[in-house]
Amino acid sequence: MADRVVLAYSGGLDTSVGIGWLKDATGKDVVALAVDVGQGGEDMADIRQRALDCGAVDAVVVDAKDEFADEFLMPALKTNALYQKRYPLVSALSRPLIARHLARTALELGADSVAHGCTGKGNDQVRFEAAVAAIAPELTSIAPVRDLALTRDKAIVYAEEHGLPIQQSKKSPYSIDQNVWGRAVETGFLEDPWNGPIEDLYAYTEDPTVPRDADEVTITFTAGVPTAIDGEAVTPLQAVQRMNELAGRHGVGRLDIVEDRLVGIKSREVYEAPGAIALIAAHEELENLTIERDLGRYKRDVENTWAQLVYDGLWFSELKRALDAFVDKSQEHVTGDIRLRLWGGSAVVTGRRSAESLYDFSLATYDTGDTFDQSLSKGFIELWSLPSKISARRDLGRP
Ligand code: ARG
């Protein structure tokens, strides 16, 4: 039996042509693996059939939506994970999940290698290969677009010559990657960072400048994970899907940033992630209510490190897993309700309550009922500023 390679298959031009291209170049039989992470669009059964029509010896479809939400999106939400303070890691979160399925399928089928359709310029190639290396170090990764120089023009010619069932007419000028956590759009006229995004780019969000009434929504979290929306119990996947609808209607979560890729390039990226941005805003505020000060301050540094590790393809690294343990521990008391107002492109917290709240009215109030002993502050500040006072004496030469 010929060696096998398991290809992460999207159903698009590059990976469809990649099936024959891989077989020709390596002599290996190609098994296509299509993973549903909530990207929507085409039916997975049609994608599977196309892989077979393009010459795959087998094609496997995995519905990984709940797995993606439970094991990848919830850790990101608990961490309030944003790369460069803004990007909720949409593509970066799906790659380790797809890679895990690639590696497992390869091991099950006795394949010696896996393949993906990434170019040599992006982060995704690193994420796939670094994840596979961490899960199944004996597997080899092949990237036909990068390693076999499969350009788009060559792909079109190959598809025509071999009569592959690909429709060129649907070709979009953009490179789009989407899943239930959001959508990334790049290339085309966006490559000039002075060009503003146009309405046409967006699919998960409505134009936030169109006048409409605000909506309110209450999200209930249990230990950092959303468990109900407006009182109705939800799974993690349902929470993200529901918030995509509710926040998407108000144009929440549109982002336009110049991003520092791991490979050193700065790239201009447009994203929309209505559910992710609304959920992170809500979760972060519930933490403000329920997490002790020093833990909260320390966690903000952890969040940034976690986001950078995940962006850089190190989902399965030891440091990332250790930080997960810290984040999980930090979520013990992050239980309660957050009320969000959705309007005009933003999700704003307008109310918070929790049985685990650390907010103490009688300490915080400036009205009658105040139990805070203000006389203690005087001595506290004396000692707090003592080091500054001593060094100032030295530096200024004063007694
Ligand atoms: N720049 C983003 C990231 O690295 C999005 C990548 C999107 N991938 C794509 N093939 N369009 O996470």
Side-chain angles (χ1 to χ4, degrees):
M1 193 172 78
D3 280 341
R4 288 179 159 196
V5 52
V6 182
L7 168 69
Y9 184 67
S10 70
L13 175 68
D14 290 342
T15 50
S16 294
V17 169
I19 294 172
W21 202 270
L22 270 172
K23 173 80 187 164
D24 295 349
T26 65
K28 295 179 197 292
D29 284 339
V30 180
V31 175
L33 173 74
V35 182
D36 186 353
V37 284
Q39 60 268 48
E42 271 186 296
D43 202 88
M44 293 306 276
D46 293 342
I47 291 179
R48 180 174 184 278
Q49 189 54 48
R50 184 169 319 125
L52 296 171
D53 293 344
C54 289
V57 292
D58 197 1
V60 184
V61 168
V62 184
D63 177 355
K65 294 195 290 292
D66 282 300
E67 179 190 356
F68 185 43
D70 296 348
E71 295 178 41
F72 293 81
L73 304 184
M74 292 306 109
L77 176 58
K78 290 187 222 172
T79 313
N80 303 314
L82 299 172
Y83 180 67
Q84 287 182 222
K85 294 186 179 167
R86 290 170 66 201
Y87 167 45
L89 299 169
V90 173
S91 304
L93 291 166
S94 75
R95 300 317 182 209
L97 169 122
I98 297 169
R100 191 163 75 183
H101 280 284
L102 272 180
R104 283 185 188 159
T105 307
L107 296 179
E108 267 167 39
L109 299 177
D112 64 354
S113 47
V114 296
H116 59 77
C118 303
T119 72
K121 292 179 73 168
N123 298 312
D124 291 330
Q125 54 173 342
V126 184
R127 295 168 182 154
F128 276 126
E129 295 179 29
V132 169
I135 299 164
E138 65 273 42
L139 295 174
T140 306
S141 287
I142 311 172
V145 175
R146 179 193 69 199
D147 306 339
L148 309 173
L150 176 59
T151 62
R152 215 171 168 88
D153 292 339
K154 280 196 213 164
I156 291 169
V157 171
Y158 188 99
E160 277 166 6
E161 278 176 9
H162 293 76
L164 300 184
I166 310 290
Q167 292 147 6
Q168 252 67 250
S169 56
K170 283 196 291 186
K171 200 183 132 189
S172 149
Y174 310 114
S175 166
I176 298 172
D177 183 49
Q178 62 189 50
N179 60 53
V180 71
W181 200 233
R183 237 175 126 248
V185 187
E186 47 191 20
T187 71
F189 82 103
L190 294 171
E191 284 178 355
D192 178 345
W194 186 248
N195 285 337
I198 51 172
E199 216 30 56
D200 201 43
L201 298 174
Y202 300 107
Y204 287 12
T205 53
E206 302 289 330
D207 182 350
T209 65
V210 172
R212 54 171 75 79
D213 292 336
D215 278 319
E216 268 189 356
V217 59
T218 299
I219 306 170
T220 304
F221 290 87
T222 308
V225 169
T227 46
I229 291 181
D230 286 331
E232 212 176 294
V234 285
T235 64
L237 175 64
Q238 288 167 340
V240 178
Q241 289 170 328
R242 184 86 187 105
M243 288 311 298
N244 275 339
E245 281 163 35
L246 293 172
R249 225 178 267 162
H250 293 275
V252 171
R254 290 186 175 190
L255 310 163
D256 177 358
I257 65 175
V258 169
E259 182 176 296
D260 281 305
R261 284 191 192 166
L262 176 58
V263 296
I265 301 169
K266 281 192 187 287
S267 70
R268 196 279 185 85
E269 306 275 341
V270 170
Y271 299 107
E272 50 182 346
I277 295 298
L279 284 166
I280 290 172
H283 175 263
E284 201 165 37
E285 180 61 6
L286 186 59
E287 289 190 332
N288 290 342
L289 188 71
T290 56
I291 287 191
E292 182 273 331
R293 181 190 61 190
D294 287 334
L295 176 56
R297 287 182 176 179
Y298 194 83
K299 181 169 180 283
R300 288 179 196 107
D301 292 338
V302 170
E303 292 174 357
N304 191 42
T305 304
W306 193 97
Q308 286 179 7
L309 289 169
V310 171
Y311 185 86
D312 290 348
L314 299 176
W315 178 272
F316 295 107
S317 69
E318 290 207 43
L319 176 55
K320 149 72 174 51
R321 284 183 282 151
L323 296 183
D324 282 334
F326 167 82
V327 170
D328 277 339
K329 176 74 182 163
S330 75
Q331 299 301 292
E332 278 177 346
H333 301 290
V334 185
T335 295
D337 297 332
I338 292 289
R339 189 178 60 237
L340 284 179
R341 180 170 171 276
L342 306 167
W343 183 79
S346 43
V348 177
V349 175
T350 60
R352 64 290 270 161
R353 66 181 173 202
S354 168
E356 312 255 11
S357 172
L358 298 175
Y359 181 90
D360 184 333
F361 177 84
S362 59
L363 287 176
T365 185
Y366 284 92
D367 294 337
T368 41
D370 183 3
T371 60
F372 184 84
D373 183 352
Q374 299 195 27
S375 69
L376 296 175
S377 291
K378 190 173 156 54
F380 165 73
I381 297 166
E382 284 278 336
L383 296 186
W384 184 245
S385 33
L386 193 54
S388 306
K389 190 181 264 183
I390 294 169
S391 62
R393 279 189 191 134
R394 179 198 60 196
D395 296 345
L396 303 171
R398 302 212 188 119

